[in-house]
Amino acid sequence: MVHVSSVPGSYYFYYPRLVCVVGVRDESKATTNFAPVAWTTPLSSDPPLFGVCLSPKTYSHQLVLKTGEFTVNFLTQKHAALADNLGRLSGRETDKVKALALDLEPGEALSTPILTVAYVAAECALVERHHVGDQTLLVGEVHQIHAAPDAFDADGVLRIRNLSPLLYLGSNRYATTERHPVFPLGEAATKV
Amino acid sequence: MVHVSSVPGSYYFYYPRLVCVVGVRDESKATTNFAPVAWTTPLSSDPPLFGVCLSPKTYSHQLVLKTGEFTVNFLTQKHAALADNLGRLSGRETDKVKALALDLEPGEALSTPILTVAYVAAECALVERHHVGDQTLLVGEVHQIHAAPDAFDADGVLRIRNLSPLLYLGSNRYATTERHPVFPLGEAATKV
């Protein structure tokens, strides 16, 4: 493939990425703030750690440092408009739970709620944070996972035949996965 | 949605994720080692930083600490078998460039090659590393991006109509994106 060279920032080369809606309790307003974040990654298997990048300027960042915990919530493509709205509103001015009529479920291992609409969510306790460039990497230890009963197969793999996860493309655009795995094409790929 | 609770590790809740093939020069063998990594994330816009999680046990980890740089290379779904092979072979025993007949292009800003087959690649200089759980987060500053001329639109967004990026699902299974954006459905979404 012929390549054209360009400076950093020219392309969103690192998308698509799963939309991860980060939930944090806002005790001062007796609500929970939810914000979509695309810069996230698993960081460790043992202990199970999951990292979320937030600008220190964001309201969510401020809240996580106060409560010491957060939830991560993953949506299907049906909820693209919800994710987009969560990104446009600021929890500083708006109680998004009220404004968007969000249904929540209480946390079990910790005390931050998850989104009822999520196909999978995880409760995380903040265990480390690292300042990296213009963001903070907030490192959460995963304490509990909550999944829709049909979302994952016996190997723990997402059933993309039944469920279309919401992916972010950059520039407020969203995509999802094709319903069939591309590899392998043999027996394993036919698992439902 | 009704949720079933489970312990961490039960599900690959954080997949699908882009397959990112990390390239590192192996000076002792006069080759470059390429290994697929799914635990990666952008970490900062200014400066432009990109993070790659590697176990300290891996050969790539050892090489990055020696050379102080790496490339990240992204593949389309056509190259799922290549990604799978890169993951199965170890650079300790095998020169993957020879074994898999890989075509390389030299780096421009730095000295690590990229994969010719990649639809986009970036040259990164190691600027920080953080030990997080059982992995190391290697933080690279992006120096140069190399993209196929038709891969991204004028907004820098991947043209998923023309190009199907390779995503990892866990358990050696792979997927790709649907060819149409799911949101928004108006004018912006019709851009090619």
Side-chain angles (χ1 to χ4, degrees), chain A residues 6-182:
Chain A
S6 57
V7 296
S10 319
Y11 305 119
Y12 296 111
F13 69 84
Y14 37 73
Y15 290 132
R17 307 181 67 80
L18 274 178
V19 173
C20 172
V21 178
V22 175
V24 199
R25 278 183 297 115
D26 185 348
E27 288 167 344
S28 68
K29 296 180 188 156
T31 185
T32 301
N33 192 49
F34 290 92
V37 179
W39 293 11
T40 69
T41 185
L43 289 164
S44 169
S45 293
D46 183 19
L49 303 176
F50 189 80
V52 169
C53 275
L54 286 175
S55 162
K57 296 176 189 165
T58 60
Y59 191 56
S60 292
H61 186 283
Q62 183 183 319
L63 294 176
V64 173
L65 296 198
K66 275 187 195 159
T67 67
E69 54 178 79
F70 58 90
T71 59
V72 290
N73 301 265
F74 298 88
L75 306 177
T76 67
Q77 56 95 15
K78 277 186 285 189
H79 303 293
L82 170 61
D84 199 61
N85 279 327
L86 287 170
R88 287 175 196 277
L89 297 171
S90 167
R92 278 197 180 87
E93 294 94 38
T94 308
D95 179 346
K96 300 185 197 179
V97 172
K98 276 191 190 160
L100 300 170
L102 303 177
D103 286 326
L104 309 187
E105 288 170 28
E108 286 179 13
L110 303 170
S111 59
T112 307
I114 64 168
L115 289 176
T116 301
V117 78
Y119 67 82
V120 68
E123 299 178 61
C124 301
L126 183 69
V127 290
E128 291 177 30
R129 59 189 158 122
H130 301 279
H131 299 287
V132 185
D134 58 16
Q135 307 279 313
T136 306
L137 179 70
L138 300 163
V139 180
E141 180 165 359
V142 179
H143 281 245
Q144 190 103 1
I145 302 176
H146 305 269
D150 55 351
F152 296 90
D153 69 16
D155 295 331
V157 174
L158 189 67
R159 287 182 153 125
I160 55 170
R161 281 196 166 71
N162 307 335
L163 191 154
S164 297
L166 184 63
L167 301 169
Y168 188 60
L169 285 174
S171 204
N172 298 315
R173 284 186 265 167
Y174 297 82
T176 191
T177 44
E178 280 191 357
R179 288 183 174 266
H180 58 89
V182 299

Side-chain angles (χ1 to χ4, degrees), chain B residues 42-103:
Chain B
L43 289 165
S44 169
S45 293
D46 183 19
L49 302 177
F50 189 79
V52 169
C53 275
L54 286 175
S55 162
K57 296 175 191 166
T58 61
Y59 191 57
S60 292
H61 186 283
Q62 182 184 319
L63 294 176
V64 174
L65 297 197
K66 276 188 195 159
T67 68
E69 55 177 78
F70 58 91
T71 59
V72 290
N73 302 265
F74 298 88
L75 306 177
T76 66
Q77 55 95 16
K78 277 185 285 188
H79 303 293
L82 170 61
D84 199 61
N85 279 328
L86 286 170
R88 288 174 196 277
L89 296 171
S90 166
R92 278 198 181 88
E93 294 94 38
T94 308
D95 179 347
K96 299 186 197 179
V97 172
K98 276 192 190 161
L100 300 170
L102 302 178
D103 286 325

Side-chain angles (χ1 to χ4, degrees), chain A residues 3-4 6 17 40 118 145 147 183, chain B residues 3-4 6 17 40 118 145 147:
Chain A
H3 292 104
V4 178
S6 57
R17 307 181 67 80
T40 69
I145 302 176
F183 184 87
Chain B
H3 291 104
V4 178
S6 57
R17 307 182 66 82
T40 70
I145 302 177

